[in-house]
C-alpha cells in the first residue's frame, strides 16, 4: 500500500513538473514567435529598402543623360530600328532593369515582398512590356534569365496590354533632334558676345 501511495505521489509530482514546464515554456514560445515575426518584418523592410536603392540607381541613367533618355524612348518603340551602339546601350540598361525585376520576383517567391508590393512591381513591368521595343529586346535576351522568371514575363506579354506609359511623350521631337548632327564643342562653348 505504501509503495502504491509513493508511486502515485511520484506520478503526481511528475505530472505537476510537466505542467510547470509547459507553463514556463509557453511564454518562451510566445516570446520566440514575437521575435521571429519582428525579425521577418525587419528583414522584409531591409529588402524593400535595398530594392528601392537599386531602382533609384538604375533609373538614374534616364534622368542624368539626355542622350541615353532619347535612345531609351526610341528603343521602347522599336529595338530593331536602333543603330548598333544605341542597341548596345539600350540592351545593357534593359538587362540591368530585368535582372532587378527578376531579383524582386524571387524576393516575392521567398515571402520577402508582400503581395501588395509585388503587384506594384508587376504593374510597372506590364507598362514597360506593353511596348514593342521592349518585347523585341526581350526576345533577344530572355535566355539570360531563369525559366520561372521567363514564364512570368511571357505571361505578361501574352496579355497584350496597350502601351500607355510614354503615350503623352512627343517622340517625333526626339527623332528630329537625333537627325541633326551635334554641334562641335568649340561651337557650343561660344555664346553671343564670346567672339
Amino acid at each position: 500500500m505504501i509503495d502504491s501511495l509513493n508511486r502515485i505521489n511520484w506520478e503526481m509530482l511528475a505530472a505537476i513538473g510537466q505542467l510547470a514546464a509547459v507553463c514556463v515554456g509557453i511564454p518562451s514560445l510566445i516570446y520566440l514567435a514575437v521575435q521571429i515575426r519582428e525579425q521577418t518584418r525587419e528583414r522584409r523592410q531591409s529588402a524593400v529598402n535595398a530594392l528601392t536603392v537599386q531602382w533609384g540607381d538604375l533609373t538614374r541613367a534616364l534622368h542624368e543623360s539626355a542622350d541615353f533618355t532619347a535612345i531609351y524612348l526610341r528603343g521602347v518603340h522599336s529595338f530593331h530600328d536602333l543603330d548598333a551602339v544605341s542597341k548596345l546601350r539600350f540592351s545593357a540598361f534593359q538587362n540591368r532593369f530585368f535582372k532587378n525585376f527578376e531579383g524582386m520576383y524571387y524576393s516575392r517567391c521567398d515571402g520577402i515582398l508582400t503581395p501588395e508590393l509585388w503587384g506594384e512591381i508587376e504593374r510597372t513591368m506590364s507598362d514597360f512590356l506593353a511596348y514593342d521595343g521592349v518585347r523585341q529586346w526581350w526576345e533577344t535576351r530572355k535566355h539570360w534569365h531563369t525559366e520561372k522568371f521567363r514564364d512570368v514575363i511571357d505571361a505578361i506579354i501574352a496579355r497584350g496590354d496597350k502601351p500607355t506609359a510614354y503615350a503623352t511623350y512627343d517622340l517625333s521631337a526626339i527623332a528630329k533632334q537625333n537627325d541633326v548632327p551635334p554641334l562641335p564643342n568649340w561651337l557650343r562653348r561660344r555664346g553671343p558676345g564670346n567672339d
Side-chain angles (χ1 to χ4, degrees):
M1 172 104 160
I2 292 181
D3 284 338
S4 71
L5 282 175
N6 282 338
R7 196 178 65 201
I8 291 172
N9 284 338
W10 280 110
E11 288 175 3
M12 286 180 67
L13 285 174
I16 291 171
Q18 288 175 352
L19 182 61
V22 168
C23 289
V24 168
I26 288 175
S28 296
L29 288 174
I30 291 171
Y31 176 77
L32 181 62
V34 168
Q35 290 300 320
I36 290 171
R37 194 168 105 199
E38 188 60 35
Q39 288 174 353
T40 301
R41 185 179 310 150
E42 288 173 7
R43 191 176 114 214
R44 185 175 286 150
Q45 186 59 48
S46 177
V48 169
N49 289 344
L51 292 171
T52 302
V53 168
Q54 288 174 357
W55 183 263
D57 290 345
L58 182 60
T59 58
R60 182 177 297 132
L62 293 173
H63 61 83
E64 287 186 351
S65 171
D67 290 339
F68 179 72
T69 302
I71 290 169
Y72 179 79
L73 288 172
R74 287 193 325 271
V76 296
H77 286 282
S78 178
F79 177 68
H80 297 311
D81 289 346
L82 293 175
D83 62 88
V85 172
S86 296
K87 277 183 180 176
L88 181 60
R89 291 181 74 191
F90 182 84
S91 186
F93 178 82
Q94 289 296 86
N95 186 55
R96 286 181 60 212
F97 217 42
F98 278 80
K99 285 296 184 183
N100 197 22
F101 282 141
E102 188 170 16
M104 291 177 188
Y105 169 71
Y106 282 104
S107 291
R108 172 65 190 124
C109 292
D110 291 341
I112 295 170
L113 290 180
T114 64
E116 181 182 34
L117 286 172
W118 174 247
E120 178 184 335
I121 293 161
E122 191 172 15
R123 287 188 302 274
T124 303
M125 288 189 308
S126 296
D127 276 352
F128 295 126
L129 288 162
Y131 284 90
D132 289 338
V134 178
R135 292 176 180 184
Q136 292 163 2
W137 171 83
W138 175 250
E139 286 304 313
T140 71
R141 295 294 183 266
K142 70 183 187 177
H143 63 281
W144 287 2
H145 298 271
T146 63
E147 189 174 335
K148 283 177 68 175
F149 183 68
R150 286 193 314 252
D151 291 345
V152 169
I153 297 302
D154 289 341
I156 291 172
I157 290 171
R159 289 194 314 237
D161 294 341
K162 293 191 184 292
T164 59
Y166 306 112
T168 61
Y169 296 29
D170 184 7
L171 294 179
S172 61
I174 291 171
K176 287 177 189 172
Q177 285 175 339
N178 291 317
D179 290 341
V180 177
L183 292 173
N185 284 338
W186 65 270
L187 238 170
R188 276 191 251 164
R189 279 186 249 136
R190 293 179 80 187
N194 289 338
D195 295 321

